[in-house]
Coordinates of all heavy atoms in Angstrom, one line a residue:
M1 N -22.0 5.1 0.3 CA -20.6 5.0 0.0 C -20.4 4.5 -1.4 O -21.1 3.7 -1.9 CB -20.0 4.0 1.0 CG -18.5 3.9 1.0 SD -17.8 3.5 2.6 CE -17.1 1.9 2.2
N2 N -19.3 5.1 -2.0 CA -19.1 4.7 -3.4 C -18.5 3.3 -3.5 O -17.8 2.9 -2.6 CB -18.1 5.7 -4.0 CG -18.7 7.0 -4.2 OD1 -19.8 7.2 -4.8 ND2 -18.1 8.1 -3.6
P3 N -18.8 2.6 -4.6 CA -18.3 1.2 -4.7 C -16.8 1.2 -5.0 O -16.3 2.2 -5.5 CB -19.1 0.7 -5.9 CG -19.5 1.9 -6.7 CD -19.7 3.0 -5.7
W4 N -16.2 0.1 -4.8 CA -14.8 -0.1 -5.2 C -14.8 -0.6 -6.6 O -15.5 -1.5 -7.0 CB -14.1 -1.1 -4.3 CG -13.9 -0.6 -2.9 CD1 -14.8 -0.8 -1.8 CD2 -12.8 0.1 -2.4 NE1 -14.3 -0.2 -0.7 CE2 -13.1 0.4 -1.0 CE3 -11.7 0.7 -3.0 CZ2 -12.2 1.1 -0.2 CZ3 -10.8 1.4 -2.2 CH2 -11.1 1.6 -0.8
I5 N -13.9 0.0 -7.4 CA -13.8 -0.3 -8.8 C -12.5 -1.0 -9.1 O -11.5 -0.5 -8.7 CB -13.8 1.0 -9.7 CG1 -14.9 1.9 -9.3 CG2 -13.9 0.7 -11.2 CD1 -16.3 1.7 -9.9
D6 N -12.6 -2.2 -9.8 CA -11.4 -3.0 -10.1 C -10.8 -2.3 -11.3 O -11.4 -2.2 -12.4 CB -11.9 -4.4 -10.5 CG -10.8 -5.3 -10.8 OD1 -9.7 -4.9 -11.1 OD2 -11.0 -6.5 -10.8
V7 N -9.5 -1.8 -11.1 CA -8.8 -1.1 -12.2 C -7.6 -1.8 -12.8 O -7.1 -1.4 -13.8 CB -8.5 0.3 -11.8 CG1 -9.7 1.2 -11.6 CG2 -7.6 0.4 -10.6
A8 N -7.0 -2.7 -12.0 CA -5.7 -3.3 -12.5 C -5.4 -4.6 -11.7 O -6.0 -4.8 -10.6 CB -4.6 -2.3 -12.3
A9 N -4.5 -5.4 -12.2 CA -3.9 -6.5 -11.5 C -2.8 -6.0 -10.7 O -2.0 -5.1 -11.2 CB -3.5 -7.6 -12.4
E10 N -2.6 -6.5 -9.5 CA -1.5 -6.0 -8.7 C -0.2 -6.3 -9.4 O 0.8 -5.6 -9.3 CB -1.5 -6.8 -7.3 CG -0.6 -6.3 -6.3 CD -0.7 -7.0 -5.0 OE1 -1.5 -8.0 -4.9 OE2 -0.1 -6.6 -4.0
A11 N -0.2 -7.4 -10.2 CA 1.1 -7.8 -10.9 C 1.4 -6.8 -12.0 O 2.6 -6.8 -12.5 CB 0.9 -9.2 -11.5
D12 N 0.5 -5.9 -12.4 CA 0.8 -4.9 -13.4 C 1.6 -3.7 -12.8 O 2.1 -2.9 -13.6 CB -0.5 -4.3 -14.0 CG -1.2 -5.4 -14.8 OD1 -0.6 -6.4 -15.3 OD2 -2.4 -5.2 -15.0
L13 N 1.7 -3.6 -11.5 CA 2.3 -2.5 -10.9 C 3.8 -2.6 -10.9 O 4.4 -3.8 -11.0 CB 1.9 -2.3 -9.4 CG 0.4 -2.1 -9.2 CD1 0.0 -2.3 -7.8 CD2 -0.1 -0.8 -9.8
F14 N 4.5 -1.5 -10.9 CA 6.0 -1.5 -10.8 C 6.4 -0.8 -9.6 O 6.0 0.4 -9.4 CB 6.6 -0.8 -12.0 CG 6.4 -1.6 -13.3 CD1 5.4 -1.2 -14.2 CD2 7.3 -2.6 -13.7 CE1 5.2 -1.9 -15.4 CE2 7.1 -3.3 -14.8 CZ 6.1 -3.0 -15.7
E15 N 7.2 -1.4 -8.7 CA 7.6 -0.8 -7.5 C 8.5 0.5 -7.9 O 9.3 0.4 -8.7 CB 8.5 -1.8 -6.7 CG 9.2 -1.2 -5.5 CD 8.3 -0.6 -4.5 OE1 7.2 -1.1 -4.3 OE2 8.7 0.4 -3.8
G16 N 8.1 1.6 -7.3 CA 8.8 2.8 -7.5 C 8.5 3.5 -8.8 O 9.3 4.4 -9.2
A17 N 7.4 3.2 -9.4 CA 7.0 3.8 -10.7 C 5.5 3.9 -10.8 O 4.8 3.3 -10.0 CB 7.6 3.1 -11.8
G18 N 5.1 4.6 -11.8 CA 3.6 4.8 -12.0 C 3.2 4.0 -13.3 O 4.0 3.7 -14.2
I19 N 1.9 3.6 -13.3 CA 1.3 3.1 -14.5 C -0.1 3.8 -14.7 O -0.6 4.4 -13.7 CB 1.0 1.6 -14.4 CG1 0.0 1.2 -13.3 CG2 2.3 0.8 -14.2 CD1 -0.6 -0.2 -13.5
A20 N -0.5 3.8 -15.9 CA -1.8 4.5 -16.2 C -2.9 3.4 -16.2 O -2.7 2.3 -16.7 CB -1.7 5.2 -17.6
V21 N -4.0 3.7 -15.7 CA -5.2 2.9 -15.8 C -6.4 3.7 -16.0 O -6.4 4.9 -15.7 CB -5.4 2.0 -14.5 CG1 -4.3 1.1 -14.2 CG2 -5.7 2.9 -13.3
Q22 N -7.4 3.1 -16.6 CA -8.7 3.8 -16.9 C -9.7 3.4 -15.8 O -9.9 2.2 -15.5 CB -9.2 3.5 -18.3 CG -8.4 4.0 -19.4 CD -8.3 5.5 -19.4 OE1 -9.3 6.2 -19.1 NE2 -7.1 6.1 -19.6
A23 N -10.4 4.4 -15.3 CA -11.5 4.2 -14.4 C -12.6 5.0 -15.0 O -12.4 6.0 -15.7 CB -11.1 4.6 -13.0
P24 N -13.9 4.7 -14.7 CA -15.0 5.4 -15.2 C -14.9 6.9 -15.0 O -14.8 7.4 -13.9 CB -16.2 4.8 -14.5 CG -15.8 3.5 -14.1 CD -14.3 3.6 -13.8
G25 N -14.7 7.7 -16.1 CA -14.6 9.1 -16.0 C -13.3 9.7 -15.6 O -13.1 10.9 -15.4
H26 N -12.3 8.8 -15.3 CA -11.0 9.3 -14.8 C -9.9 8.6 -15.5 O -9.9 7.4 -15.7 CB -10.9 9.1 -13.3 CG -11.9 9.9 -12.5 ND1 -11.8 11.2 -12.3 CD2 -13.1 9.5 -12.0 CE1 -12.9 11.6 -11.6 NE2 -13.7 10.6 -11.4
D27 N -8.8 9.3 -15.8 CA -7.5 8.8 -16.2 C -6.7 8.8 -15.0 O -6.4 9.9 -14.4 CB -7.0 9.8 -17.3 CG -5.7 9.2 -18.0 OD1 -5.3 8.1 -17.7 OD2 -5.1 10.0 -18.8
V28 N -6.3 7.6 -14.5 CA -5.7 7.5 -13.2 C -4.3 7.0 -13.3 O -3.9 6.2 -14.2 CB -6.5 6.5 -12.4 CG1 -5.9 6.2 -11.0 CG2 -8.0 7.0 -12.2
A29 N -3.4 7.5 -12.4 CA -2.1 7.0 -12.3 C -2.0 6.2 -11.0 O -2.4 6.7 -9.9 CB -1.0 8.1 -12.3
L30 N -1.5 5.0 -11.1 CA -1.2 4.2 -9.8 C 0.3 4.1 -9.6 O 1.1 3.9 -10.5 CB -1.7 2.7 -10.1 CG -3.2 2.5 -10.3 CD1 -3.4 1.0 -10.4 CD2 -4.0 3.0 -9.1
F31 N 0.6 4.3 -8.3 CA 2.0 4.3 -7.9 C 2.2 3.2 -6.8 O 1.4 3.2 -5.8 CB 2.4 5.7 -7.4 CG 2.3 6.8 -8.4 CD1 1.2 7.5 -8.4 CD2 3.3 7.0 -9.3 CE1 1.0 8.6 -9.3 CE2 3.2 8.0 -10.2 CZ 2.0 8.8 -10.3
S32 N 3.2 2.4 -7.0 CA 3.5 1.4 -6.0 C 4.8 1.8 -5.3 O 5.8 1.9 -5.9 CB 3.7 0.0 -6.7 OG 4.1 -1.0 -5.8
I33 N 4.7 2.1 -4.0 CA 5.8 2.6 -3.3 C 5.9 1.9 -1.9 O 5.0 1.9 -1.1 CB 5.7 4.1 -3.0 CG1 5.6 4.8 -4.4 CG2 6.8 4.7 -2.2 CD1 5.2 6.3 -4.3
D34 N 7.0 1.2 -1.8 CA 7.3 0.5 -0.5 C 6.1 -0.4 -0.1 O 5.7 -0.5 1.1 CB 7.6 1.5 0.6 CG 8.9 2.2 0.4 OD1 9.7 1.7 -0.3 OD2 9.0 3.3 1.0
G35 N 5.6 -1.1 -1.1 CA 4.5 -2.1 -0.8 C 3.1 -1.5 -0.7 O 2.2 -2.2 -0.4
E36 N 3.0 -0.2 -0.8 CA 1.7 0.5 -0.8 C 1.4 1.0 -2.1 O 2.3 1.3 -2.9 CB 1.7 1.6 0.2 CG 1.5 1.2 1.7 CD 1.2 2.4 2.5 OE1 2.1 3.0 3.0 OE2 0.0 2.8 2.7
V37 N 0.1 1.1 -2.4 CA -0.4 1.6 -3.7 C -1.2 2.9 -3.5 O -2.0 3.0 -2.6 CB -1.2 0.5 -4.5 CG1 -1.6 1.0 -5.8 CG2 -0.4 -0.8 -4.6
F38 N -0.9 3.9 -4.4 CA -1.6 5.2 -4.3 C -2.1 5.5 -5.7 O -1.5 5.1 -6.7 CB -0.6 6.3 -3.9 CG 0.1 5.9 -2.6 CD1 1.3 5.3 -2.6 CD2 -0.5 6.3 -1.4 CE1 2.0 4.9 -1.4 CE2 0.1 5.9 -0.2 CZ 1.3 5.3 -0.2
A39 N -3.2 6.2 -5.7 CA -3.9 6.6 -7.0 C -4.1 8.1 -7.0 O -4.6 8.7 -6.1 CB -5.3 5.9 -7.1
T40 N -3.7 8.6 -8.1 CA -3.9 10.1 -8.4 C -4.4 10.2 -9.8 O -4.3 9.3 -10.6 CB -2.6 10.9 -8.2 OG1 -1.8 10.7 -9.4 CG2 -1.9 10.7 -6.9
D41 N -5.0 11.4 -10.0 CA -5.3 11.8 -11.4 C -4.0 11.7 -12.2 O -2.9 12.1 -11.8 CB -5.8 13.2 -11.4 CG -6.5 13.6 -12.7 OD1 -6.2 13.1 -13.8 OD2 -7.5 14.4 -12.6
N42 N -4.1 11.1 -13.4 CA -2.9 11.0 -14.3 C -2.5 12.2 -14.9 O -1.4 12.4 -15.4 CB -3.2 9.9 -15.3 CG -1.9 9.3 -15.9 OD1 -0.8 9.6 -15.4 ND2 -2.0 8.6 -17.0
N43 N -3.4 13.2 -15.0 CA -3.1 14.5 -15.7 C -2.6 15.5 -14.7 O -3.2 15.7 -13.7 CB -4.4 15.0 -16.4 CG -5.0 14.1 -17.4 OD1 -4.3 13.7 -18.3 ND2 -6.2 13.7 -17.2
C44 N -1.4 16.0 -15.1 CA -0.8 17.1 -14.3 C -1.8 18.2 -14.2 O -2.5 18.6 -15.1 CB 0.5 17.5 -14.9 SG 1.3 18.8 -13.9
S45 N -1.8 18.9 -13.0 CA -2.7 20.0 -12.8 C -2.1 21.3 -13.5 O -2.8 22.3 -13.6 CB -2.9 20.3 -11.4 OG -1.7 20.7 -10.7
H46 N -0.9 21.2 -14.0 CA -0.3 22.4 -14.6 C -0.4 22.4 -16.2 O -0.4 23.4 -16.8 CB 1.2 22.4 -14.2 CG 2.0 23.6 -14.8 ND1 2.9 23.4 -15.7 CD2 1.9 24.9 -14.5 CE1 3.4 24.6 -16.0 NE2 2.8 25.5 -15.3
G47 N -0.4 21.2 -16.8 CA -0.4 21.1 -18.2 C -0.8 19.8 -18.7 O -1.3 18.9 -17.9
N48 N -0.5 19.5 -20.0 CA -0.9 18.3 -20.6 C 0.1 17.2 -20.5 O 0.7 16.7 -21.5 CB -1.3 18.6 -22.1 CG -1.9 17.4 -22.8 OD1 -2.5 16.6 -22.1 ND2 -1.7 17.3 -24.1
A49 N 0.4 16.8 -19.3 CA 1.5 15.8 -19.1 C 0.8 14.6 -18.2 O -0.1 14.9 -17.5 CB 2.7 16.4 -18.3
K50 N 1.4 13.5 -18.4 CA 0.9 12.3 -17.7 C 1.8 12.0 -16.5 O 3.0 11.7 -16.7 CB 0.9 11.1 -18.6 CG -0.1 11.3 -19.8 CD -1.5 11.4 -19.4 CE -2.5 11.4 -20.6 NZ -3.8 11.8 -20.2
L51 N 1.3 12.0 -15.3 CA 2.1 11.7 -14.2 C 2.6 10.3 -14.1 O 3.6 10.0 -13.4 CB 1.3 12.1 -12.9 CG 1.0 13.6 -12.8 CD1 0.2 13.8 -11.5 CD2 2.2 14.4 -12.8
C52 N 1.9 9.4 -14.8 CA 2.4 8.0 -14.8 C 3.8 7.9 -15.4 O 4.5 6.9 -15.2 CB 1.5 7.0 -15.5 SG 1.3 7.4 -17.3
D53 N 4.2 8.9 -16.2 CA 5.5 8.9 -16.9 C 6.5 9.6 -16.0 O 7.7 9.8 -16.4 CB 5.4 9.6 -18.2 CG 4.5 8.8 -19.2 OD1 4.4 7.6 -19.1 OD2 3.8 9.5 -20.0
G54 N 6.1 10.1 -14.9 CA 7.0 10.9 -14.1 C 8.0 10.1 -13.2 O 7.8 8.9 -13.0
Y55 N 9.0 10.8 -12.8 CA 10.0 10.1 -11.9 C 9.5 10.1 -10.5 O 9.0 11.1 -10.0 CB 11.3 11.0 -12.1 CG 12.4 10.6 -11.1 CD1 13.0 9.4 -11.2 CD2 12.8 11.4 -10.1 CE1 14.0 9.0 -10.3 CE2 13.8 11.1 -9.2 CZ 14.4 9.9 -9.3 OH 15.4 9.5 -8.5
V56 N 9.6 9.0 -9.9 CA 9.1 8.8 -8.5 C 10.3 8.8 -7.5 O 11.3 8.1 -7.7 CB 8.3 7.5 -8.3 CG1 7.9 7.3 -6.9 CG2 7.1 7.6 -9.2
E57 N 10.2 9.6 -6.5 CA 11.2 9.7 -5.5 C 10.5 9.8 -4.1 O 9.7 10.7 -3.9 CB 12.1 10.9 -5.7 CG 13.3 10.9 -4.7 CD 14.3 12.0 -5.1 OE1 13.9 13.1 -5.5 OE2 15.5 11.7 -5.0
G58 N 10.8 8.8 -3.2 CA 10.0 8.8 -2.0 C 8.5 8.7 -2.3 O 8.1 7.8 -3.1
H59 N 7.7 9.6 -1.7 CA 6.3 9.6 -2.0 C 5.9 10.7 -3.0 O 4.7 11.1 -3.1 CB 5.4 9.7 -0.8 CG 5.4 8.4 0.0 ND1 6.3 8.1 1.0 CD2 4.6 7.3 -0.1 CE1 6.0 6.9 1.5 NE2 5.0 6.4 0.8
E60 N 6.9 11.2 -3.8 CA 6.6 12.3 -4.7 C 6.8 11.8 -6.1 O 7.7 11.0 -6.4 CB 7.5 13.5 -4.4 CG 7.2 14.2 -3.1 CD 8.2 15.3 -2.9 OE1 9.2 15.4 -3.6 OE2 7.8 16.2 -2.1
V61 N 6.0 12.3 -7.0 CA 6.2 12.1 -8.4 C 6.5 13.4 -9.1 O 5.8 14.4 -8.7 CB 4.9 11.4 -9.1 CG1 3.7 12.2 -9.0 CG2 5.2 11.1 -10.6
E62 N 7.4 13.4 -10.0 CA 7.9 14.6 -10.7 C 7.3 14.6 -12.1 O 7.5 13.7 -12.8 CB 9.4 14.7 -10.7 CG 9.9 16.0 -11.3 CD 11.4 16.0 -11.3 OE1 12.0 15.4 -12.3 OE2 12.0 16.4 -10.4
C63 N 6.5 15.7 -12.4 CA 5.9 15.8 -13.7 C 7.0 15.8 -14.8 O 8.0 16.5 -14.7 CB 5.1 17.0 -13.8 SG 4.4 17.3 -15.5
P64 N 6.8 15.0 -15.9 CA 7.9 14.9 -16.9 C 8.0 16.2 -17.7 O 9.0 16.4 -18.4 CB 7.5 13.7 -17.8 CG 6.0 13.6 -17.5 CD 5.8 14.0 -16.1
F65 N 7.0 17.1 -17.7 CA 7.1 18.3 -18.5 C 7.9 19.5 -17.8 O 8.9 19.9 -18.4 CB 5.7 18.8 -18.8 CG 5.1 18.2 -20.1 CD1 5.6 17.0 -20.6 CD2 4.0 18.7 -20.7 CE1 5.1 16.4 -21.7 CE2 3.5 18.1 -21.8 CZ 4.0 16.9 -22.3
H66 N 7.4 19.9 -16.7 CA 8.1 21.1 -16.1 C 8.6 20.8 -14.6 O 8.8 21.7 -13.9 CB 7.1 22.3 -16.1 CG 6.5 22.6 -17.4 ND1 5.2 22.4 -17.6 CD2 7.1 23.0 -18.6 CE1 4.9 22.7 -18.9 NE2 6.0 23.1 -19.5
Q67 N 8.6 19.5 -14.3 CA 9.2 19.1 -13.0 C 8.5 19.6 -11.8 O 9.1 19.6 -10.7 CB 10.7 19.5 -13.0 CG 11.6 18.7 -13.9 CD 11.5 19.0 -15.3 OE1 11.6 20.2 -15.7 NE2 11.2 18.1 -16.2
A68 N 7.2 19.9 -11.9 CA 6.4 20.1 -10.7 C 6.4 18.7 -9.9 O 6.5 17.7 -10.6 CB 5.0 20.5 -11.0
R69 N 6.2 18.8 -8.6 CA 6.1 17.5 -7.9 C 4.8 17.5 -7.1 O 4.3 18.5 -6.6 CB 7.3 17.4 -6.9 CG 8.6 17.1 -7.6 CD 9.7 17.2 -6.6 NE 10.9 16.6 -7.2 CZ 11.5 15.5 -6.8 NH1 11.0 14.9 -5.7 NH2 12.5 15.0 -7.4
F70 N 4.3 16.2 -6.9 CA 3.1 16.0 -6.2 C 3.3 14.9 -5.2 O 4.0 13.9 -5.5 CB 1.9 15.6 -7.1 CG 1.6 16.6 -8.2 CD1 2.2 16.6 -9.4 CD2 0.7 17.6 -7.9 CE1 1.9 17.6 -10.4 CE2 0.4 18.6 -8.8 CZ 1.0 18.6 -10.1
D71 N 2.7 15.0 -4.0 CA 2.7 13.9 -3.1 C 1.6 12.9 -3.5 O 0.4 13.3 -3.5 CB 2.4 14.5 -1.7 CG 2.6 13.4 -0.6 OD1 2.2 12.3 -0.8 OD2 3.1 13.8 0.5
V72 N 2.0 11.7 -3.8 CA 1.0 10.8 -4.4 C 0.0 10.3 -3.3 O -1.0 9.7 -3.6 CB 1.7 9.5 -5.0 CG1 2.6 10.0 -6.2 CG2 2.5 8.7 -4.0
R73 N 0.3 10.5 -2.0 CA -0.6 10.1 -1.0 C -1.8 11.1 -0.9 O -2.9 10.7 -0.5 CB 0.1 10.1 0.4 CG 1.3 9.1 0.4 CD 2.1 9.2 1.6 NE 2.9 10.5 1.6 CZ 3.9 10.8 2.4 NH1 4.3 9.9 3.3 NH2 4.6 11.9 2.2
T74 N -1.6 12.3 -1.3 CA -2.6 13.3 -1.1 C -3.0 14.1 -2.4 O -4.0 14.7 -2.5 CB -2.2 14.4 -0.1 OG1 -1.0 15.1 -0.6 CG2 -1.9 13.8 1.2
G75 N -2.1 14.0 -3.4 CA -2.2 14.8 -4.6 C -1.8 16.3 -4.5 O -1.8 17.0 -5.4
A76 N -1.3 16.6 -3.3 CA -0.9 18.0 -3.1 C 0.4 18.3 -3.8 O 1.4 17.5 -3.9 CB -0.6 18.2 -1.6
P77 N 0.5 19.5 -4.4 CA 1.8 19.9 -5.0 C 2.8 20.2 -4.0 O 2.5 20.8 -3.0 CB 1.4 21.2 -5.8 CG 0.2 21.8 -5.1 CD -0.5 20.6 -4.5
T78 N 4.0 19.7 -4.2 CA 5.1 20.0 -3.2 C 6.2 20.8 -3.8 O 7.2 21.2 -3.2 CB 5.7 18.6 -2.7 OG1 6.1 17.9 -3.9 CG2 4.7 17.8 -2.0
C79 N 6.1 21.1 -5.2 CA 7.1 21.9 -5.8 C 6.5 22.5 -7.1 O 5.7 21.7 -7.8 CB 8.3 21.0 -6.2 SG 9.6 21.9 -7.1
G80 N 6.7 23.8 -7.4 CA 6.1 24.4 -8.5 C 6.8 23.8 -9.8 O 7.7 23.1 -9.7
P81 N 6.2 24.2 -11.0 CA 5.3 25.3 -11.2 C 3.8 25.0 -10.9 O 3.0 25.9 -10.9 CB 5.5 25.7 -12.6 CG 5.9 24.4 -13.3 CD 6.7 23.7 -12.3
A82 N 3.5 23.8 -10.7 CA 2.0 23.5 -10.4 C 1.7 24.0 -9.0 O 2.4 23.9 -8.1 CB 1.8 22.0 -10.4
S83 N 0.5 24.6 -8.9 CA 0.1 25.2 -7.6 C -1.3 24.5 -7.2 O -1.7 24.6 -6.1 CB -0.1 26.7 -7.7 OG -1.0 27.0 -8.7
E84 N -1.9 23.8 -8.1 CA -3.2 23.1 -7.8 C -2.9 21.7 -7.6 O -2.1 21.1 -8.2 CB -4.1 23.3 -9.0 CG -4.6 24.7 -9.3 CD -5.4 25.2 -8.2 OE1 -6.3 24.5 -7.6 OE2 -5.2 26.4 -7.8
P85 N -3.6 21.1 -6.6 CA -3.4 19.6 -6.4 C -4.0 18.8 -7.6 O -4.8 19.3 -8.4 CB -4.2 19.4 -5.1 CG -5.3 20.5 -5.1 CD -4.6 21.7 -5.7
V86 N -3.6 17.5 -7.6 CA -4.3 16.6 -8.5 C -5.2 15.7 -7.5 O -4.9 15.7 -6.3 CB -3.3 15.7 -9.3 CG1 -2.6 16.5 -10.3 CG2 -2.4 15.0 -8.3
R87 N -6.2 15.1 -8.1 CA -7.1 14.3 -7.3 C -6.4 13.1 -6.8 O -5.5 12.6 -7.5 CB -8.3 13.8 -8.1 CG -9.1 14.9 -8.7 CD -10.0 15.6 -7.7 NE -10.9 14.7 -7.0 CZ -12.1 14.3 -7.5 NH1 -12.5 14.7 -8.6 NH2 -12.8 13.4 -6.8
S88 N -6.8 12.5 -5.7 CA -6.3 11.2 -5.2 C -7.4 10.5 -4.7 O -8.4 11.1 -4.2 CB -5.2 11.4 -4.2 OG -5.7 12.0 -3.0
W89 N -7.3 9.1 -4.7 CA -8.4 8.3 -4.3 C -7.9 7.1 -3.4 O -6.8 6.7 -3.6 CB -9.1 7.7 -5.5 CG -9.8 8.7 -6.4 CD1 -11.0 9.4 -6.2 CD2 -9.2 9.3 -7.6 NE1 -11.2 10.3 -7.2 CE2 -10.2 10.2 -8.1 CE3 -8.1 9.1 -8.3 CZ2 -10.0 11.0 -9.2 CZ3 -7.9 9.8 -9.5 CH2 -8.8 10.7 -9.9
P90 N -8.8 6.6 -2.6 CA -8.5 5.5 -1.7 C -8.3 4.2 -2.6 O -8.9 4.1 -3.6 CB -9.7 5.3 -0.8 CG -10.4 6.6 -0.9 CD -10.2 7.2 -2.2
V91 N -7.3 3.4 -2.2 CA -6.9 2.2 -2.9 C -7.0 1.0 -2.0 O -6.6 1.2 -0.8 CB -5.5 2.3 -3.5 CG1 -5.1 1.0 -4.1 CG2 -5.3 3.5 -4.4
K92 N -7.5 -0.1 -2.5 CA -7.3 -1.3 -1.7 C -6.9 -2.4 -2.6 O -7.2 -2.4 -3.8 CB -8.6 -1.7 -0.9 CG -9.7 -2.3 -1.8 CD -10.8 -2.8 -0.9 CE -12.0 -3.4 -1.7 NZ -13.1 -3.9 -0.9
I93 N -6.1 -3.4 -2.1 CA -5.7 -4.5 -2.8 C -6.4 -5.8 -2.2 O -6.4 -6.0 -1.0 CB -4.1 -4.7 -2.6 CG1 -3.4 -3.5 -2.9 CG2 -3.6 -5.9 -3.5 CD1 -3.3 -3.0 -4.3
E94 N -7.0 -6.5 -3.1 CA -7.7 -7.7 -2.6 C -7.6 -8.8 -3.7 O -7.9 -8.5 -4.9 CB -9.2 -7.3 -2.4 CG -9.8 -8.1 -1.3 CD -11.2 -7.5 -0.9 OE1 -12.2 -7.8 -1.7 OE2 -11.3 -6.7 0.0
G95 N -7.2 -10.0 -3.3 CA -7.1 -11.1 -4.3 C -6.3 -10.8 -5.5 O -6.6 -11.2 -6.6
G96 N -5.2 -10.0 -5.3 CA -4.3 -9.7 -6.4 C -4.8 -8.6 -7.4 O -4.3 -8.4 -8.4
R97 N -5.9 -8.0 -7.0 CA -6.5 -6.9 -7.8 C -6.4 -5.6 -7.1 O -6.4 -5.5 -5.8 CB -8.0 -7.2 -8.2 CG -8.3 -8.5 -8.9 CD -7.7 -8.6 -10.3 NE -8.1 -7.5 -11.1 CZ -7.7 -7.3 -12.4 NH1 -6.9 -8.2 -12.9 NH2 -8.1 -6.3 -13.1
V98 N -6.4 -4.5 -7.9 CA -6.3 -3.2 -7.3 C -7.6 -2.5 -7.5 O -8.2 -2.5 -8.6 CB -5.2 -2.3 -8.0 CG1 -5.1 -0.9 -7.5 CG2 -3.9 -3.0 -8.0
Y99 N -8.2 -2.0 -6.4 CA -9.5 -1.4 -6.4 C -9.4 0.1 -6.0 O -8.6 0.4 -5.1 CB -10.5 -2.1 -5.5 CG -10.8 -3.5 -5.8 CD1 -10.0 -4.5 -5.4 CD2 -12.0 -3.8 -6.6 CE1 -10.3 -5.9 -5.8 CE2 -12.3 -5.1 -6.9 CZ -11.4 -6.1 -6.5 OH -11.7 -7.4 -6.9
L100 N -10.2 0.9 -6.7 CA -10.2 2.3 -6.3 C -11.6 2.7 -5.9 O -12.6 2.1 -6.4 CB -10.0 3.2 -7.5 CG -8.7 3.2 -8.3 CD1 -8.6 4.3 -9.3 CD2 -7.5 3.3 -7.3
Q101 N -11.7 3.6 -4.9 CA -13.0 4.1 -4.5 C -13.1 5.5 -5.1 O -12.5 6.5 -4.5 CB -13.1 4.1 -3.0 CG -14.5 4.4 -2.5 CD -14.7 4.2 -1.1 OE1 -13.8 4.7 -0.3 NE2 -15.8 3.6 -0.6
L102 N -13.7 5.7 -6.2 CA -13.8 7.0 -6.8 C -14.9 7.8 -6.2 O -15.9 7.3 -5.8 CB -14.2 6.8 -8.3 CG -13.2 6.0 -9.2 CD1 -13.7 5.8 -10.5 CD2 -11.9 6.9 -9.3
T103 N -14.5 9.1 -6.0 CA -15.5 10.0 -5.5 C -15.8 10.9 -6.7 O -15.1 10.9 -7.7 CB -15.0 10.8 -4.3 OG1 -13.6 11.2 -4.6 CG2 -14.9 9.9 -3.1
A104 N -16.8 11.7 -6.6 CA -17.3 12.5 -7.7 C -16.2 13.3 -8.4 O -15.4 13.8 -7.7 CB -18.5 13.4 -7.3
Ligands
FES1 FE1 3.2 19.2 -15.3 FE2 3.9 21.6 -16.3 S1 2.7 20.1 -17.2 S2 4.5 20.7 -14.4

């Protein structure tokens, strides 16, 4: 099983918005929604945009470039023009820290 990687303080998160964090080999966006935290690839699958800058509504983030939407729980696209998913990873909160379990 892959180790849990400490990527942020829980206090760095913003409810209803994304932040960017660095994890080994990955540029990650963390989203805090209704007390839960979700992690996706920060790079949009459609172009050179950062999803941490996107507008969050419900469990979806809207890409700031061409308004594609992704479900932050799964990384699945829910609205074009993006048709490819972004990666998503398991998150746990422990002792005020945010941990990701990165897969290959
Ligand atoms: Fe994200 Fe085009 S770059 S929708």
Side-chain angles (χ1 to χ4, degrees):
M1 190 150 114
N2 292 307
W4 290 94
I5 312 273
D6 182 340
V7 293
E10 192 178 6
D12 292 340
L13 300 170
F14 292 98
E15 172 62 32
I19 65 165
V21 296
Q22 290 299 320
H26 298 282
D27 186 6
V28 175
L30 295 180
F31 299 95
S32 176
I33 299 171
D34 291 339
E36 276 192 272
V37 182
F38 304 93
T40 70
D41 198 325
N42 197 17
N43 298 306
C44 181
S45 63
H46 180 252
N48 188 25
K50 299 294 186 191
L51 295 180
C52 66
D53 297 328
Y55 172 68
V56 174
E57 186 173 39
H59 284 94
E60 292 181 342
V61 60
E62 184 178 87
C63 176
F65 274 18
H66 310 110
Q67 287 75 52
R69 286 174 167 247
F70 299 91
D71 188 320
V72 300
R73 297 169 292 192
T74 62
T78 56
C79 179
S83 56
E84 295 295 317
V86 291
R87 303 283 305 274
S88 67
W89 296 282
V91 177
K92 76 172 178 182
I93 310 289
E94 211 170 80
R97 303 294 304 180
V98 181
Y99 294 85
L100 298 187
Q101 193 174 40
L102 295 173
T103 46

